[in-house]
Amino acid sequence: MDDEFLMGIDEEALLASSQISQSSSVPNQQPFVTTALAAPYQYIKQITCGQIKHGIKVPIKGIIATLTSNIQVDKTTGEWKLSVNVNDGSGYLIARIAPAVLDRIIGFSPSQMKQLKTSKTATDRAKVGQGMINLTSTLVHFSGILEIQISQGEKLITAMHEITNDHVLALANRTDRFFSP
């Protein structure tokens, strides 16, 4: 990395919010700095290159590019199960969406779905179809912050947030810290 670029950056702040990696796939390249804990989000490339350690939650700004499985009910746990391909422009990863997130998007759990399907009222039965429409619409139109828990090689989406002014301000503060004179 260019030494002139790093001049003027508070070294303690840099070390507190960053990690320095000596590994590189390009020979004779200088070490690069990654902001593993910098707000408001990280890049998938940092995860797939091993720059972010396992056992943590990482916010990613991205989209759900494709489904890698169909929505189903896990036979052992009785919870929703769905895997997706997440893309942020720097790379992609396959992750499962946590059952609690799916419950919230769909509007009911699998056990509640069984009750709705067996209901005698058309309104209750229609809620099942509407829940799947909500899921499809949410995943297709989502572009925001995905909290991804990385543990033992598994990636789990534990929360989905729309971009807010707080995210924009955090990103502005992050870039100002590195680029202001």
Side-chain angles (χ1 to χ4, degrees):
M1 184 172 272
D2 189 14
D3 289 336
E4 290 178 29
F5 172 77
L6 292 176
M7 289 179 59
I9 296 176
D10 180 7
E11 189 173 319
E12 287 181 24
L14 181 66
L15 291 175
S17 67
S18 304
Q19 66 184 30
I20 298 177
S21 173
Q22 298 295 328
S23 64
S24 173
S25 59
V26 180
N28 300 323
Q29 184 179 9
Q30 295 291 325
F32 53 94
V33 176
T34 61
T35 53
L37 301 174
Y41 57 83
Q42 298 307 304
Y43 296 97
I44 290 174
K45 184 176 182 178
Q46 292 172 301
I47 296 171
T48 58
C49 291
Q51 296 174 13
I52 295 178
K53 301 203 184 297
H54 292 270
I56 62 170
K57 282 188 181 178
V58 180
I60 301 291
K61 179 186 172 288
I63 63 167
I64 309 277
T66 56
L67 301 180
T68 58
S69 72
N70 292 325
I71 184 79
Q72 53 189 297
V73 178
D74 188 301
K75 292 180 183 186
T76 58
T77 63
E79 298 176 322
W80 294 119
K81 186 175 175 183
L82 179 64
S83 295
V84 295
N85 185 331
V86 177
N87 190 322
D88 73 349
S90 76
Y92 74 94
L93 60 82
I94 295 173
R96 283 188 323 107
I97 301 177
V101 174
L102 291 169
D103 287 350
R104 185 182 52 77
I105 294 170
I106 296 169
F108 47 82
S109 69
S111 61
Q112 292 168 322
M113 178 185 68
K114 287 178 186 176
Q115 291 173 349
L116 291 170
K117 280 186 166 183
T118 59
S119 174
K120 294 185 190 246
T121 67
T123 307
D124 284 348
R125 290 191 305 272
K127 286 180 184 178
V128 174
Q130 187 59 47
M132 294 303 139
I133 290 170
N134 290 346
L135 176 64
T136 302
S137 177
T138 299
L139 297 181
V140 166
H141 295 105
F142 184 80
S143 177
I145 305 292
L146 300 158
E147 286 184 22
I148 300 178
Q149 181 177 328
I150 305 167
S151 180
Q152 300 173 350
E154 185 175 320
K155 295 159 188 81
L156 181 68
I157 298 171
T158 58
M160 299 170 64
H161 307 285
E162 295 295 324
I163 301 291
T164 65
N165 286 338
D166 291 339
H167 294 117
V168 174
L169 291 173
L171 183 59
N173 289 336
R174 180 168 95 177
T175 55
D176 285 348
R177 186 176 67 221
F178 290 106
F179 296 109
S180 62

